[in-house]
Amino acid sequence: MSNMNKLFFLLFLLLSFISYGQKIIVKGIAIDTTNGRNKVTISLNDTIRKYSKSEDFDFDNYKSLYENKDYYTTVNKENKFKIKANLTDSLTFSSWRHISKSYLVSDLISMPEIKIRLEPEVCEEYVPCKEENPKLYIFIGEKIKVDYAKRKYYCNRISMDSKFDAKYKIIENLYGDYKNETIDFVAYDHYGKPGFSEYDNVILYVAEYCGELYHVKYQYNNVYKTKDGKWASPYQGFDYEKLDSLNIKKPIKIEFDEEVTFEFGKGTDTLWFQRRFPKPYYETNGFKAKAVYGNYAIDIFEIMKKTILKTRGYFE
């Protein structure tokens, strides 16, 4: 975790916890419609949700908050809870597929009995899109935001992926000629925040299905400016292992405008590192790799067109 993230986290906690007066213990019952199968959670000042949506989100910080009983707790087997709070604080009650409720502590303690009942969300039927020839937009984009999004609650479909709302500035169109300067699309990822969100500039693959824009799952290429004013991506070792080398353009030496390096800690698996950053495509020192070879953006598009995008049905 960077020092900047640590500083932000401390400031976030301070601002979320600013209140006046002496702390009291708030006790009560909180239930939903599952008769105890779900456990209602209670968050002080909605801190958990607010931090999960902050731009400086860090999983380790999130885990610390989640495990801190001063900010977040769960009802017991009898659906009872207790948490310390000030009169100026608020408590947010939540449960899976139920509508959250928030109350000021001062209002809760004025109740004859604190008994919170959460109502279920209303689901809707999932109707699959039958678009046979979706439009495909491929572009070099600059990240504006990638945020967690609330998924629709379908009665007849369960998804194990997280949903994200993404917004990017289009720097250069490679295919599809999207007309606007910025693009908003939805991304789904099974493993957490999409990998492309870690980079400032990427080649992105977005398809239009039934009027909605969706990221082509897991497909992106991180790119960097070169000294000749173009965009290029460093050699991707794992990707080339899967490709037919006779039908794709070989990587070439690239002079990046600024040095492109990747560095990992001492616990990194040596074999993985060597396969991911092989010589001579990278100059390595310990677990630090400097990119030497790569492909220009237009060549990457041609490689994707002949391989992954072809297998997914976008090109013949």
Side-chain angles (χ1 to χ4, degrees):
M1 188 194 317
S2 68
N3 290 331
M4 184 63 71
N5 273 338
K6 289 180 180 178
L7 177 60
F8 170 82
F9 185 59
L10 291 173
L11 289 173
F12 180 88
L13 291 185
L14 177 63
L15 291 173
S16 67
F17 214 57
I18 288 178
S19 54
Y20 304 94
Q22 188 174 4
K23 286 187 180 300
I24 60 173
I25 296 178
V26 183
K27 297 181 179 180
I29 293 174
I31 56 177
D32 61 18
T33 60
T34 65
N35 296 320
R37 291 195 304 273
N38 290 345
K39 296 296 183 183
V40 176
T41 62
I42 301 93
S43 176
L44 182 71
N45 296 324
D46 205 13
T47 305
I48 298 291
R49 185 191 64 82
K50 289 177 181 176
Y51 184 67
S52 70
K53 292 184 175 296
S54 67
E55 293 184 359
D56 294 283
F57 175 85
D58 178 89
F59 180 76
D60 290 335
N61 287 339
Y62 179 83
K63 185 178 179 183
S64 296
L65 274 177
Y66 185 85
E67 295 174 348
N68 190 329
K69 297 301 182 182
D70 288 333
Y71 293 95
Y72 189 79
T73 191
T74 306
V75 298
N76 63 17
K77 292 181 179 179
E78 287 77 39
N79 298 311
K80 296 179 180 180
F81 74 90
K82 64 178 180 179
I83 189 171
K84 292 181 179 180
N86 291 313
L87 291 176
T88 50
D89 289 329
S90 66
L91 297 181
T92 297
F93 299 83
S94 304
S95 184
W96 175 247
R97 294 304 186 198
H98 285 71
I99 301 170
S100 297
K101 289 184 178 180
S102 295
Y103 297 87
L104 290 173
V105 171
S106 56
D107 291 337
L108 285 172
I109 65 172
S110 66
M111 297 178 179
E113 179 185 20
I114 300 177
K115 190 170 186 178
I116 309 301
R117 292 181 179 272
L118 299 182
E119 298 299 322
E121 294 179 351
V122 178
C123 66
E124 60 182 271
E125 184 179 359
Y126 173 73
V127 179
C129 172
K130 296 182 180 180
E131 184 82 58
E132 294 183 359
N133 298 299
K135 294 179 181 178
L136 182 64
Y137 302 107
I138 303 174
F139 56 90
I140 299 172
E142 179 182 317
K143 184 174 68 174
I144 297 176
K145 68 173 184 177
V146 179
D147 294 330
Y148 278 96
K150 186 176 182 179
R151 294 183 303 179
K152 288 185 178 180
Y153 179 21
Y154 293 114
C155 310
N156 56 335
R157 183 174 185 262
I158 297 176
S159 174
M160 300 301 291
D161 295 328
S162 296
K163 179 182 178 182
F164 299 84
D165 288 330
K167 186 181 186 71
Y168 274 74
K169 177 182 178 181
I170 294 180
I171 299 175
E172 181 182 334
N173 280 304
L174 300 177
Y175 180 84
D177 194 25
Y178 192 78
K179 299 299 183 184
N180 298 332
E181 294 183 357
T182 61
I183 184 170
D184 295 271
F185 59 91
V186 170
Y188 289 92
D189 199 294
H190 184 69
Y191 304 100
K193 211 159 188 181
F196 62 77
S197 66
E198 298 177 10
Y199 303 97
D200 293 328
N201 300 108
V202 287
I203 299 175
L204 286 170
Y205 306 83
V206 175
E208 184 174 350
Y209 287 92
C210 298
E212 300 289 337
L213 295 173
Y214 297 93
H215 174 242
V216 179
K217 201 170 184 182
Y218 304 133
Q219 302 310 308
Y220 70 92
N221 308 91
N222 49 304
V223 292
Y224 307 86
K225 208 67 179 284
T226 64
K227 289 190 180 296
D228 56 4
K230 299 179 182 180
W231 291 93
S233 180
Y235 172 83
Q236 302 292 327
F238 291 145
D239 290 344
Y240 270 84
E241 289 178 354
K242 306 171 187 175
L243 302 178
D244 179 357
S245 61
L246 296 177
N247 293 324
I248 63 172
K249 183 153 184 165
K250 299 291 192 298
I252 60 174
K253 282 192 174 183
I254 298 286
E255 289 191 66
F256 292 101
D257 196 30
E258 295 182 2
E259 186 176 286
V260 179
T261 58
F262 304 90
E263 189 167 5
F264 298 84
K266 293 181 180 179
T268 303
D269 182 84
T270 302
L271 181 59
W272 174 87
F273 184 84
Q274 291 173 347
R275 289 180 58 203
R276 174 62 179 82
F277 304 103
K279 297 178 181 180
Y281 305 106
Y282 288 86
E283 294 177 358
T284 59
N285 180 12
F287 288 119
K288 182 177 181 180
K290 174 186 172 183
V292 179
Y293 283 73
N295 291 96
Y296 286 109
I298 191 64
D299 297 324
I300 291 171
F301 164 58
E302 290 299 326
I303 293 172
M304 293 289 291
K305 183 178 177 181
K306 295 176 181 178
T307 56
I308 296 173
L309 296 178
K310 181 179 178 180
T311 62
R312 296 203 181 188
Y314 293 106
F315 294 97
E316 294 182 358

